[in-house]
Structure formats: structure tokens, C-alpha cells
Amino acid sequence: MKDQPNIAVIGAGVIGMTVAKLFQDQLRNANITVIAEKYSADTTSDVAAGIFKPGTHFKGSTKEITKKWLTDSWHFWQDILKSPDAEQMGVMPLGSYIFSKENYHVTRNHLIEGLVPIYRPATKEELKMAPEGTKFGSYFSTLKVECERYLPWTGKTLVERGAKMIRGKVESFASLSNYDLVFNCAGLGAKYLCNDYDLVPIRGQIIKVNAPWVKHALYGDYDTYIIPGLNGMVTLGGVRGFDSYNLNYSKYDAADILERCCEFLPDLKNAEVIAHKVGLRPHRMPVRVEPELIDGLKVVHCYGHGGNGVMTAPGTAIDAVEIGLNFLRSNVRNKL
Ligand SMILES: Cc1cc2nc3c(=O)[nH]c(=O)nc-3n(C[C@H](O)[C@H](O)[C@H](O)COP(=O)(O)OP(=O)(O)OC[C@H]3O[C@@H](n4cnc5c(N)ncnc54)[C@H](O)[C@@H]3O)c2cc1C
Ligand SMILES: *[C@@H]1O[C@H](CO)[C@@H](O)[C@H](O)[C@H]1NC(C)=O
Ligand SMILES: *[C@@H]1O[C@H](CO)[C@@H](O)[C@H](O)[C@H]1NC(C)=O
């Protein structure tokens, strides 16, 4: 292995930035270049509420890998929560309720019930927080990561330690043949880079409102959620448009979201709207974290996190980085 290997990371969303940061932690002399079309505020990652509540469909290639990704991710964020930098990095603890009028199963989550400190049924008294007719509920303690802070913080740390960030579109892996190793963290962009038809956008839209009085996250039927964040900013959602590529804001979606959220908290009607945002979740089952030798170029893929990429970024990045280090040290290229 070269003393100072040249590493490219495609993508500056939560996956690319986390992979770049963890790789730099492991190999401080690596020459890391992040290449991305879009940074910080323009990424899908920046649209996310970033709550640690995986969809129960979330998975890696085996059950053990899925569990490891979630456990590693949880501990990564918990370690940040114990540090004085937590708020600056956008990480905060958050209590959360899931309510449903009809479906008991949506109030359960086998992926985190043994992981978060508290996961219990809602009490009779707590069920009254939900719209009339609500039969089922759970409360759990979790956390949330705001990419508005996490991405700039991670980027600053990377650059201070010698990484470079360049803006540009990678048209093919062949254009990166001068690198010793490439991490493909292109999110939905991987669909075209890899001709991967298993990768599908799931369109989401949210409203950011100023409502510092909201203290808990609330989930209801029909993808309804109210998620408080730092600085009094609350995320209202949501919608899920399978295979939709439309990044335009829809006023019909916004009206629908607001109406559903007001069923829980009527005062949200009067909250100041800060922004409407739309993002395409890069959905793939399973999430792809694996090496591939492409015309002699060592590539490690890390994409397809769907609606779960913020919370699971660290776990998948730890695996991608380990795969990358082994790949870099192997002489597989020389055998060709
Ligand atoms: C409404 C909504 C709510 C969400 N809520 C949550 C939540 O509460 N919790 C959670 O964990 N997740 C949530 N998510 C999901 C989360 O946003 C995604 O899983 C995550 O952002 C994926 O990160 P990424 O880095 O893979 O993709 P992105 O953030 O899309 O980043 C991809 C990067 O690759 C670059 N790129 C792509 N192709 C190329 C190319 N050819 N050349 C150069 N650069 C390229 C892009 O410019 C960008 O920099 C939500 C998503 C949405 C839309
Ligand atoms: C680091 O990588 C950049 C981008 O590929 C390259 O221009 C530069 O020469 C590299 N530096 C070293 C010391 O190899
Ligand atoms: C998005 O909005 C732009 C500008 O209003 C419009 O030209 C475009 O057709 C819209 N795209 C879709 C998919 O509706």
C-alpha cells in the first residue's frame, strides 16, 4: 500500500461525509477528495428530520449485519450525545410517541425495541394526546440528528485535517481511475453510475415550522409525523411517493400534511412556516455496502439507505471503511 493513498468519495450527503470522516479517522495520512454535485443544504440528507426510528423493512444483506449497523449507529450517536459538541453537531435526545387508530403493529419496532433505553406501550392518559378514536400507542426514547449542522461540522473537520472537497458530477467510474480507492456514496445518483434498477426514489415532502412548544415527536396513521428539533424548529410530514422523481413542492401535499398534523396539535395551524422541502429517499433492499473491482478500480459501494440514511449512516460507514481498508491493502488489482 502507498504511504499516502489517494481516496475519492463520491457524494457529500450524510453517507459520503460520514464515510470520509471515519476513513480519515482510521488512516490519517490518506489523501481524501470528496466529489459531489451537491453539498449541505442541497442534499436529500438536509431534508430529513433525522430521527432514529428505522422503518421495520430496513435491512442489510443478513439479519446479523442489519443488527450490527443499527447497534453501531446507535452507539456512535450516543457517544456524541455524551460530548460537549453534541448540539453544535446537531445531535439531540428525543422522546417519541407512535399512535394508531386501527393498527397495533405500527406501534411496534423489532429493530429498536431492544436497543433504545425505553420502549413501552402508551398509557391510557397518553393515548389522550392523540386524535379521538386512537386505540394503540407506544412511547420510546430516541435521538435525532440535524444534517443542517452535522454536514457542515463534518465537512469542516475533514478539511481541517487535509481532505479536499470539489464540486462536480462523476459521469463514470472510469474517470476516477487515478485513485487507489473510491467510495460510492452517491445516494440516488448510484442508479445511473451502477445501472442499478433496484434503487428506487421514494418522494417525501415536509414543512418546517417554528413551534418551540412541541416537546415530543408524534407519529400517527398515514405517514403523519411531528418532529421537534433544535432552535424551536419542528418538521411536519409526510408523504411517500414510490418511484416518483418529482422534486417540486406540491401545495396539495402541504395542505394534506398540515391538516393531518393539526389533528394532533391544532395550534400548529398558527405556527410560522419557515420552509417547504422535498427529497427523494434512495430506497434499496437490501442497502448496498460491498466492494467491487470495476476495470481494475477498487470501488466500495455504500448507498440505498431509503428513509433511514441519517440514523444508519455511522453503522454502514464503519463497515464500508473496514471493507475499503482491506481492499486497499489487498493486491487484487495486480492479479488482473
Ligand atoms: C422527507 C424525508 C424525511 C426523512 N427523514 C429521515 C429520518 O427521520 N431519519 C433518517 O435516518 N432518514 C430520513 N430520511 C432519509 C435520508 O434523508 C436519506 O436516507 C439520506 O439522506 C441518504 O443519504 P445519502 O448521502 O445516501 O444521499 P444524499 O443526501 O442524496 O447525497 C448524495 C450525494 O451524492 C451526490 N451525487 C450523486 N450522484 C453523483 C454523481 N454522479 N457525481 C457526483 N456527485 C453525485 C449528490 O450531489 C449528493 O452530494 C428522510 C428523507 C426524506 C426525503
Ligand atoms: C491528493 O489528491 C488530489 C486529487 O486527486 C491530487 O490532485 C493530489 O496530487 C494528491 N496529493 C498527493 C500528495 O498525492
Ligand atoms: C417542476 O416545476 C418546474 C417549474 O415550475 C416545471 O417546469 C416542471 O415541469 C415541474 N416538474 C414536474 C415533474 O412537475
Side-chain angles (χ1 to χ4, degrees), residues 1 51 82 113 150 169 176 184 204 218 227 233 257 322:
M1 197 174 96
I51 192 168
K82 282 182 220 143
E113 282 182 29
Y150 175 74
K169 179 169 185 178
L176 301 178
N184 171 20
L218 296 166
I227 302 173
M233 192 81 91
I257 289 166
E322 193 188 322

Side-chain angles (χ1 to χ4, degrees), residues 125-273:
E125 211 47 46
E126 287 171 326
L127 284 174
K128 290 180 190 153
M129 295 163 65
E132 224 178 296
T134 296
K135 289 201 201 72
F136 307 107
S138 299
Y139 172 83
F140 61 103
S141 52
T142 188
L143 58 85
K144 155 181 160 115
V145 183
E146 305 210 330
C147 282
E148 293 95 322
R149 295 190 188 190
Y150 175 74
L151 293 181
W153 187 93
T154 310
K156 186 168 164 277
T157 312
L158 275 163
V159 170
E160 276 169 7
R161 296 182 185 172
K164 287 172 214 69
M165 310 262 175
I166 57 181
R167 196 178 286 268
K169 179 169 185 178
V170 176
E171 298 288 351
S172 68
F173 290 111
S175 66
L176 301 178
S177 58
N178 52 326
Y179 286 93
D180 300 302
L181 178 69
V182 174
F183 287 100
N184 171 20
C185 311
L188 199 59
K191 190 176 178 88
Y192 312 107
L193 276 173
C194 306
N195 287 321
D196 185 343
Y197 298 103
D198 292 336
L199 191 57
V200 183
I202 300 183
R203 182 182 177 279
Q205 180 168 323
I206 52 137
I207 314 173
K208 298 256 186 204
V209 300
N210 183 29
W213 45 275
V214 178
K215 299 296 180 211
H216 293 107
L218 296 166
Y219 284 85
D221 293 314
Y222 311 113
D223 273 322
T224 305
Y225 52 84
I226 300 169
I227 302 173
L230 296 161
N231 280 349
M233 192 81 91
V234 179
T235 304
L236 309 182
V239 293
R240 255 168 240 268
F242 191 80
D243 216 358
S244 168
Y245 289 83
N246 190 352
L247 273 167
N248 286 355
Y249 151 79
S250 152
K251 65 179 179 182
Y252 305 105
D253 284 346
D256 176 38
I257 289 166
L258 191 62
E259 188 177 318
R260 282 185 275 128
C261 289
C262 285
E263 253 202 277
F264 284 86
L265 301 173
D267 286 334
L268 285 172
K269 259 198 284 300
N270 307 316
E272 179 196 0
V273 173

